[in-house]
Amino acid sequence: MKRLLIAASLVALAAAPAFAGRDQIRIVGSSTVYPFTTAVAEQFGKATGMKTPVVESTGTGGGMKLFCAGVGEDTPDFTNASRRIKKSEFEDCVKNGVTEVIEIKVGYDGLSIAQSKDAKELALTKQQVFQALAKEVPDKDGKLIPNPNTKWSDIDPALPDVKIEVLGPPPTSGTRDSFAELVLEAGALKYKSLEEMKKADAKAFEKVWKSIREDGAYVEAGENDNLIVQKLQANPNALGIFGFSFLEQNANSIKDVAIDGVKASYEAIADGSYKVARPLFVYMKKQHIGVIPGMKEFIAEYVSEKALGEDGYLAEKGLVTLPGEQAEKTRAVAANLDVITADGLK
């Protein structure tokens, strides 16, 4: 009997989360949300006297993998995300024992296509961006063919007679996911043949707009946005894909390209006239609350008026803050520690 009890105790200990006294919050995830969360972490450290949280920029997809790997001190407490958690990611969380996830919507960010300050002013439509970056595009008869466009002028003679070169995030990035959905899908739907494909076979259509060409016109530049800025400065003909906040922070060296006649700005994103915008999130592991010190205090700092308010320090860093009712809803979720379910996730 004693042997059975000892064996059962060992199994229980092995299954329990491993918290060997970690006293510092660990955060991973989106490079877009990274500067905002870093600012909150610094304020939290100053205000509470607790250790300033460690914030790593791993990309949204990479952050979700780390966050959903399990519970315990060897896994992150929070992950930043530039898109909502996917149903498949949530299911991975649950499978690995991360059964209580809190979703905090912190604001909005516009996606922007940028060029060097030294480049000639450029404006594009979503359809033109699709024509430049899609792996396959419809020919004049609506049949899908490998993308033949090598120069911008191949798409429209009014565009520059220069090689198409767009530097952007890898598949693990939430920015890449959002860019595909907000720009490439919308551009694809300008073709009647692809609009009809969507009605007939949504999965086949999804494959078309999600598949970015791999012949060098689109260059995966990793999660380091600063590297993209350097490359744009070295090559004024190249374009780069960024979150709006990063564009603002580097306004001395890059400028945005108007999309469908509208340039990215705080006002245009907030009022909805700039259509290439997305919500930003922070996800919190409820099972770590009370075990890792400061988690409640950290999220309270994040949703506070001084941080998330219209004139808060996150707005100064380029975050498009939540309007009144949405801000109050976010604060209620944070106060009540409401967890999400798979309902409504894609």
Short mmCIF file of all heavy atoms in Angstrom, two decimals, residues 197-246:
data_model
loop_
_atom_site.label_atom_id
_atom_site.label_comp_id
_atom_site.label_asym_id
_atom_site.label_seq_id
_atom_site.Cartn_x
_atom_site.Cartn_y
_atom_site.Cartn_z
N MET A 197 -14.62 31.95 -57.57
CA MET A 197 -13.94 30.82 -56.93
C MET A 197 -14.26 30.78 -55.44
O MET A 197 -14.49 29.70 -54.87
CB MET A 197 -12.43 30.91 -57.12
CG MET A 197 -11.66 29.78 -56.44
SD MET A 197 -9.87 30.02 -56.42
CE MET A 197 -9.46 29.59 -58.10
N LYS A 198 -14.28 31.94 -54.80
CA LYS A 198 -14.58 31.99 -53.37
C LYS A 198 -15.97 31.40 -53.09
O LYS A 198 -16.16 30.67 -52.11
CB LYS A 198 -14.51 33.44 -52.86
CG LYS A 198 -14.77 33.55 -51.36
CD LYS A 198 -14.69 34.98 -50.87
CE LYS A 198 -14.93 35.02 -49.36
NZ LYS A 198 -14.87 36.40 -48.83
N LYS A 199 -16.93 31.71 -53.94
CA LYS A 199 -18.29 31.19 -53.75
C LYS A 199 -18.35 29.69 -53.97
O LYS A 199 -19.04 28.96 -53.27
CB LYS A 199 -19.25 31.90 -54.72
CG LYS A 199 -19.45 33.37 -54.43
CD LYS A 199 -20.30 34.02 -55.51
CE LYS A 199 -20.41 35.53 -55.31
NZ LYS A 199 -21.13 36.18 -56.45
N ALA A 200 -17.56 29.21 -54.97
CA ALA A 200 -17.61 27.79 -55.34
C ALA A 200 -16.74 26.92 -54.44
O ALA A 200 -17.10 25.78 -54.12
CB ALA A 200 -17.19 27.62 -56.80
N ASP A 201 -15.58 27.43 -54.05
CA ASP A 201 -14.62 26.63 -53.28
C ASP A 201 -13.77 27.57 -52.42
O ASP A 201 -12.70 28.01 -52.83
CB ASP A 201 -13.73 25.82 -54.24
CG ASP A 201 -12.86 24.81 -53.53
OD1 ASP A 201 -12.67 24.94 -52.30
OD2 ASP A 201 -12.35 23.89 -54.20
N ALA A 202 -14.26 27.85 -51.23
CA ALA A 202 -13.60 28.83 -50.34
C ALA A 202 -12.17 28.43 -49.99
O ALA A 202 -11.29 29.28 -49.87
CB ALA A 202 -14.43 29.02 -49.07
N LYS A 203 -11.94 27.12 -49.84
CA LYS A 203 -10.58 26.67 -49.49
C LYS A 203 -9.60 26.90 -50.62
O LYS A 203 -8.45 27.28 -50.40
CB LYS A 203 -10.62 25.18 -49.09
CG LYS A 203 -11.18 24.95 -47.69
CD LYS A 203 -10.96 23.53 -47.23
CE LYS A 203 -11.42 23.34 -45.79
NZ LYS A 203 -11.22 21.94 -45.32
N ALA A 204 -10.04 26.64 -51.84
CA ALA A 204 -9.16 26.87 -53.00
C ALA A 204 -8.85 28.36 -53.14
O ALA A 204 -7.71 28.74 -53.43
CB ALA A 204 -9.84 26.36 -54.27
N PHE A 205 -9.85 29.20 -52.90
CA PHE A 205 -9.64 30.64 -52.95
C PHE A 205 -8.67 31.09 -51.86
O PHE A 205 -7.77 31.89 -52.11
CB PHE A 205 -10.98 31.37 -52.81
CG PHE A 205 -10.83 32.87 -52.66
CD1 PHE A 205 -10.38 33.65 -53.73
CD2 PHE A 205 -11.12 33.50 -51.46
CE1 PHE A 205 -10.23 35.02 -53.58
CE2 PHE A 205 -10.98 34.87 -51.31
CZ PHE A 205 -10.53 35.63 -52.38
N GLU A 206 -8.83 30.54 -50.67
CA GLU A 206 -7.94 30.90 -49.56
C GLU A 206 -6.49 30.57 -49.90
O GLU A 206 -5.58 31.34 -49.59
CB GLU A 206 -8.35 30.15 -48.29
CG GLU A 206 -7.53 30.52 -47.07
CD GLU A 206 -7.98 29.80 -45.82
OE1 GLU A 206 -8.77 28.84 -45.93
OE2 GLU A 206 -7.53 30.18 -44.73
N LYS A 207 -6.27 29.44 -50.54
CA LYS A 207 -4.91 29.05 -50.92
C LYS A 207 -4.30 30.08 -51.88
O LYS A 207 -3.11 30.41 -51.80
CB LYS A 207 -4.92 27.67 -51.57
CG LYS A 207 -3.52 27.15 -51.89
CD LYS A 207 -3.56 25.76 -52.49
CE LYS A 207 -2.15 25.29 -52.84
NZ LYS A 207 -2.16 23.96 -53.48
N VAL A 208 -5.13 30.61 -52.79
CA VAL A 208 -4.65 31.59 -53.77
C VAL A 208 -4.18 32.87 -53.08
O VAL A 208 -3.07 33.35 -53.32
CB VAL A 208 -5.74 31.90 -54.82
CG1 VAL A 208 -5.30 33.06 -55.72
CG2 VAL A 208 -6.03 30.67 -55.67
N TRP A 209 -5.03 33.45 -52.22
CA TRP A 209 -4.64 34.73 -51.64
C TRP A 209 -3.61 34.62 -50.52
O TRP A 209 -2.91 35.58 -50.22
CB TRP A 209 -5.86 35.54 -51.18
CG TRP A 209 -6.72 34.99 -50.08
CD1 TRP A 209 -7.90 34.32 -50.23
CD2 TRP A 209 -6.52 35.10 -48.66
NE1 TRP A 209 -8.43 33.99 -49.01
CE2 TRP A 209 -7.61 34.46 -48.03
CE3 TRP A 209 -5.53 35.68 -47.87
CZ2 TRP A 209 -7.74 34.38 -46.64
CZ3 TRP A 209 -5.65 35.60 -46.49
CH2 TRP A 209 -6.75 34.95 -45.89
N LYS A 210 -3.48 33.44 -49.94
CA LYS A 210 -2.48 33.27 -48.89
C LYS A 210 -1.09 32.90 -49.43
O LYS A 210 -0.11 33.02 -48.71
CB LYS A 210 -2.93 32.18 -47.91
CG LYS A 210 -3.91 32.67 -46.85
CD LYS A 210 -4.13 31.61 -45.79
CE LYS A 210 -4.98 32.16 -44.66
NZ LYS A 210 -5.23 31.14 -43.61
N SER A 211 -1.05 32.46 -50.68
CA SER A 211 0.23 31.98 -51.25
C SER A 211 1.02 33.14 -51.85
O SER A 211 0.65 33.70 -52.88
CB SER A 211 -0.03 30.91 -52.32
OG SER A 211 -0.65 29.79 -51.75
N ILE A 212 2.12 33.49 -51.19
CA ILE A 212 2.98 34.58 -51.66
C ILE A 212 4.11 33.99 -52.51
O ILE A 212 4.63 32.92 -52.22
CB ILE A 212 3.54 35.37 -50.46
CG1 ILE A 212 2.37 36.11 -49.76
CG2 ILE A 212 4.60 36.36 -50.88
CD1 ILE A 212 2.77 36.92 -48.55
N ARG A 213 4.46 34.69 -53.56
CA ARG A 213 5.48 34.20 -54.50
C ARG A 213 6.82 33.97 -53.81
O ARG A 213 7.15 34.61 -52.82
CB ARG A 213 5.61 35.16 -55.68
CG ARG A 213 6.07 36.54 -55.30
CD ARG A 213 5.80 37.58 -56.39
NE ARG A 213 6.50 37.29 -57.64
CZ ARG A 213 6.43 38.06 -58.72
NH1 ARG A 213 5.67 39.15 -58.72
NH2 ARG A 213 7.10 37.74 -59.81
N GLU A 214 7.60 33.05 -54.38
CA GLU A 214 8.87 32.64 -53.78
C GLU A 214 10.03 32.80 -54.75
O GLU A 214 11.04 32.09 -54.66
CB GLU A 214 8.77 31.18 -53.32
CG GLU A 214 7.67 30.96 -52.28
CD GLU A 214 7.37 29.50 -52.04
OE1 GLU A 214 7.78 28.66 -52.88
OE2 GLU A 214 6.72 29.19 -51.02
N ASP A 215 9.90 33.74 -55.69
CA ASP A 215 10.92 33.91 -56.72
C ASP A 215 11.82 35.11 -56.48
O ASP A 215 12.54 35.55 -57.37
CB ASP A 215 10.26 34.02 -58.10
CG ASP A 215 9.25 35.17 -58.16
OD1 ASP A 215 9.09 35.90 -57.15
OD2 ASP A 215 8.62 35.35 -59.22
N GLY A 216 11.77 35.67 -55.27
CA GLY A 216 12.64 36.80 -54.94
C GLY A 216 11.96 38.15 -54.91
O GLY A 216 12.54 39.12 -54.39
N ALA A 217 10.74 38.25 -55.45
CA ALA A 217 10.03 39.55 -55.42
C ALA A 217 9.60 39.89 -53.99
O ALA A 217 9.58 41.06 -53.60
CB ALA A 217 8.82 39.51 -56.34
N TYR A 218 9.25 38.84 -53.22
CA TYR A 218 8.95 39.04 -51.80
C TYR A 218 10.12 38.45 -51.01
O TYR A 218 10.49 37.29 -51.19
CB TYR A 218 7.65 38.33 -51.40
CG TYR A 218 7.28 38.54 -49.95
CD1 TYR A 218 6.57 39.66 -49.54
CD2 TYR A 218 7.64 37.61 -48.98
CE1 TYR A 218 6.24 39.87 -48.21
CE2 TYR A 218 7.31 37.80 -47.64
CZ TYR A 218 6.61 38.92 -47.27
OH TYR A 218 6.29 39.12 -45.94
N VAL A 219 10.69 39.27 -50.14
CA VAL A 219 11.87 38.86 -49.37
C VAL A 219 11.48 38.75 -47.90
O VAL A 219 11.10 39.75 -47.27
CB VAL A 219 13.02 39.87 -49.53
CG1 VAL A 219 14.25 39.40 -48.74
CG2 VAL A 219 13.36 40.07 -50.99
N GLU A 220 11.56 37.55 -47.34
CA GLU A 220 11.28 37.38 -45.92
C GLU A 220 12.44 37.96 -45.12
O GLU A 220 13.58 37.52 -45.25
CB GLU A 220 11.10 35.89 -45.59
CG GLU A 220 9.78 35.33 -46.10
CD GLU A 220 9.56 33.88 -45.69
OE1 GLU A 220 10.36 33.38 -44.87
OE2 GLU A 220 8.62 33.26 -46.19
N ALA A 221 12.13 38.97 -44.32
CA ALA A 221 13.19 39.69 -43.61
C ALA A 221 13.19 39.40 -42.11
O ALA A 221 13.75 40.17 -41.33
CB ALA A 221 13.02 41.19 -43.85
N GLY A 222 12.56 38.30 -41.71
CA GLY A 222 12.55 37.95 -40.30
C GLY A 222 11.69 38.89 -39.47
O GLY A 222 10.86 39.62 -40.00
N GLU A 223 11.90 38.87 -38.17
CA GLU A 223 11.10 39.69 -37.25
C GLU A 223 11.79 41.01 -36.93
O GLU A 223 11.31 41.77 -36.10
CB GLU A 223 10.86 38.91 -35.94
CG GLU A 223 10.07 37.62 -36.12
CD GLU A 223 8.60 37.84 -36.40
OE1 GLU A 223 8.16 39.00 -36.38
OE2 GLU A 223 7.90 36.85 -36.66
N ASN A 224 12.93 41.28 -37.57
CA ASN A 224 13.71 42.48 -37.25
C ASN A 224 13.31 43.63 -38.19
O ASN A 224 13.84 43.76 -39.29
CB ASN A 224 15.20 42.17 -37.37
CG ASN A 224 16.06 43.31 -36.85
OD1 ASN A 224 15.60 44.45 -36.71
ND2 ASN A 224 17.31 43.02 -36.59
N ASP A 225 12.38 44.47 -37.73
CA ASP A 225 11.92 45.58 -38.56
C ASP A 225 13.02 46.60 -38.82
O ASP A 225 13.04 47.26 -39.86
CB ASP A 225 10.73 46.27 -37.90
CG ASP A 225 9.47 45.40 -37.92
OD1 ASP A 225 9.42 44.48 -38.75
OD2 ASP A 225 8.55 45.64 -37.12
N ASN A 226 13.95 46.74 -37.88
CA ASN A 226 15.05 47.68 -38.07
C ASN A 226 15.91 47.30 -39.27
O ASN A 226 16.43 48.17 -39.99
CB ASN A 226 15.93 47.73 -36.81
CG ASN A 226 15.24 48.44 -35.66
OD1 ASN A 226 14.83 49.59 -35.79
ND2 ASN A 226 15.09 47.76 -34.55
N LEU A 227 16.05 46.00 -39.50
CA LEU A 227 16.82 45.52 -40.64
C LEU A 227 16.14 45.92 -41.95
O LEU A 227 16.81 46.30 -42.92
CB LEU A 227 16.97 43.99 -40.57
CG LEU A 227 17.79 43.33 -41.67
CD1 LEU A 227 19.24 43.83 -41.65
CD2 LEU A 227 17.77 41.80 -41.51
N ILE A 228 14.82 45.86 -41.98
CA ILE A 228 14.08 46.26 -43.18
C ILE A 228 14.31 47.75 -43.46
O ILE A 228 14.51 48.16 -44.61
CB ILE A 228 12.56 45.96 -43.05
CG1 ILE A 228 12.33 44.46 -42.82
CG2 ILE A 228 11.82 46.42 -44.31
CD1 ILE A 228 10.87 44.07 -42.69
N VAL A 229 14.29 48.57 -42.41
CA VAL A 229 14.53 50.01 -42.58
C VAL A 229 15.90 50.24 -43.22
O VAL A 229 16.04 51.03 -44.16
CB VAL A 229 14.44 50.75 -41.22
CG1 VAL A 229 14.90 52.20 -41.37
CG2 VAL A 229 13.01 50.72 -40.70
N GLN A 230 16.90 49.54 -42.73
CA GLN A 230 18.25 49.68 -43.29
C GLN A 230 18.29 49.31 -44.77
O GLN A 230 18.94 49.97 -45.58
CB GLN A 230 19.23 48.81 -42.50
CG GLN A 230 19.48 49.28 -41.07
CD GLN A 230 20.24 48.25 -40.25
OE1 GLN A 230 20.87 47.36 -40.79
NE2 GLN A 230 20.16 48.39 -38.93
N LYS A 231 17.56 48.25 -45.12
CA LYS A 231 17.56 47.80 -46.51
C LYS A 231 16.81 48.78 -47.42
O LYS A 231 17.17 48.98 -48.57
CB LYS A 231 16.96 46.40 -46.61
CG LYS A 231 17.87 45.34 -46.00
CD LYS A 231 17.37 43.93 -46.26
CE LYS A 231 18.37 42.92 -45.73
NZ LYS A 231 17.95 41.52 -45.98
N LEU A 232 15.76 49.42 -46.89
CA LEU A 232 15.04 50.43 -47.67
C LEU A 232 15.92 51.65 -47.90
O LEU A 232 15.88 52.27 -48.98
CB LEU A 232 13.75 50.86 -46.95
CG LEU A 232 12.65 49.81 -46.78
CD1 LEU A 232 11.39 50.45 -46.23
CD2 LEU A 232 12.34 49.10 -48.09
N GLN A 233 16.72 52.01 -46.91
CA GLN A 233 17.63 53.13 -47.07
C GLN A 233 18.70 52.83 -48.12
O GLN A 233 19.12 53.69 -48.87
CB GLN A 233 18.27 53.48 -45.72
CG GLN A 233 17.30 54.10 -44.73
CD GLN A 233 17.91 54.27 -43.36
OE1 GLN A 233 18.55 53.38 -42.83
NE2 GLN A 233 17.70 55.45 -42.77
N ALA A 234 19.12 51.55 -48.16
CA ALA A 234 20.15 51.15 -49.13
C ALA A 234 19.59 51.00 -50.54
O ALA A 234 20.31 51.20 -51.53
CB ALA A 234 20.78 49.82 -48.69
N ASN A 235 18.28 50.69 -50.64
CA ASN A 235 17.65 50.49 -51.94
C ASN A 235 16.32 51.24 -51.99
O ASN A 235 15.28 50.69 -51.60
CB ASN A 235 17.44 49.00 -52.21
CG ASN A 235 16.76 48.75 -53.55
OD1 ASN A 235 16.62 49.66 -54.39
ND2 ASN A 235 16.32 47.52 -53.77
N PRO A 236 16.30 52.49 -52.47
CA PRO A 236 15.07 53.29 -52.50
C PRO A 236 13.96 52.70 -53.37
O PRO A 236 12.81 53.12 -53.27
CB PRO A 236 15.54 54.64 -53.06
CG PRO A 236 17.00 54.68 -52.76
CD PRO A 236 17.47 53.27 -52.89
N ASN A 237 14.29 51.73 -54.23
CA ASN A 237 13.26 51.10 -55.07
C ASN A 237 12.49 50.01 -54.33
O ASN A 237 11.44 49.56 -54.80
CB ASN A 237 13.89 50.49 -56.33
CG ASN A 237 14.38 51.55 -57.30
OD1 ASN A 237 13.80 52.64 -57.37
ND2 ASN A 237 15.45 51.27 -58.01
N ALA A 238 13.01 49.54 -53.20
CA ALA A 238 12.36 48.47 -52.45
C ALA A 238 11.26 49.04 -51.55
O ALA A 238 11.27 50.21 -51.19
CB ALA A 238 13.40 47.73 -51.61
N LEU A 239 10.32 48.17 -51.20
CA LEU A 239 9.25 48.52 -50.27
C LEU A 239 9.33 47.59 -49.07
O LEU A 239 9.86 46.48 -49.16
CB LEU A 239 7.88 48.39 -50.95
CG LEU A 239 7.64 49.21 -52.21
CD1 LEU A 239 6.23 48.93 -52.74
CD2 LEU A 239 7.82 50.69 -51.94
N GLY A 240 8.77 48.02 -47.94
CA GLY A 240 8.76 47.19 -46.73
C GLY A 240 7.39 47.21 -46.09
O GLY A 240 6.63 48.18 -46.21
N ILE A 241 7.06 46.13 -45.41
CA ILE A 241 5.77 46.00 -44.72
C ILE A 241 6.00 46.15 -43.21
O ILE A 241 6.80 45.42 -42.63
CB ILE A 241 5.12 44.64 -45.03
CG1 ILE A 241 4.84 44.53 -46.54
CG2 ILE A 241 3.83 44.47 -44.23
CD1 ILE A 241 4.45 43.13 -46.98
N PHE A 242 5.27 47.09 -42.59
CA PHE A 242 5.45 47.38 -41.17
C PHE A 242 4.10 47.59 -40.49
O PHE A 242 3.10 47.89 -41.13
CB PHE A 242 6.22 48.70 -40.96
CG PHE A 242 7.59 48.74 -41.55
CD1 PHE A 242 7.81 49.34 -42.78
CD2 PHE A 242 8.66 48.20 -40.87
CE1 PHE A 242 9.08 49.40 -43.32
CE2 PHE A 242 9.94 48.26 -41.41
CZ PHE A 242 10.15 48.85 -42.63
N GLY A 243 4.14 47.52 -39.15
CA GLY A 243 3.04 48.04 -38.37
C GLY A 243 3.15 49.56 -38.35
O GLY A 243 4.24 50.12 -38.43
N PHE A 244 2.01 50.25 -38.23
CA PHE A 244 1.98 51.72 -38.27
C PHE A 244 2.86 52.34 -37.19
O PHE A 244 3.54 53.33 -37.42
CB PHE A 244 0.53 52.21 -38.12
CG PHE A 244 0.41 53.70 -37.89
CD1 PHE A 244 0.71 54.59 -38.91
CD2 PHE A 244 0.03 54.19 -36.66
CE1 PHE A 244 0.62 55.97 -38.70
CE2 PHE A 244 -0.07 55.55 -36.44
CZ PHE A 244 0.22 56.44 -37.46
N SER A 245 2.84 51.74 -36.00
CA SER A 245 3.63 52.31 -34.90
C SER A 245 5.11 52.35 -35.24
O SER A 245 5.81 53.31 -34.91
CB SER A 245 3.41 51.50 -33.62
OG SER A 245 3.77 50.14 -33.82
N PHE A 246 5.60 51.32 -35.93
CA PHE A 246 7.01 51.29 -36.30
C PHE A 246 7.29 52.34 -37.38
O PHE A 246 8.34 52.98 -37.38
CB PHE A 246 7.41 49.90 -36.80
CG PHE A 246 8.89 49.69 -36.88
CD1 PHE A 246 9.61 49.32 -35.76
CD2 PHE A 246 9.57 49.90 -38.06
CE1 PHE A 246 10.99 49.16 -35.82
CE2 PHE A 246 10.95 49.74 -38.14
CZ PHE A 246 11.65 49.36 -37.00
#
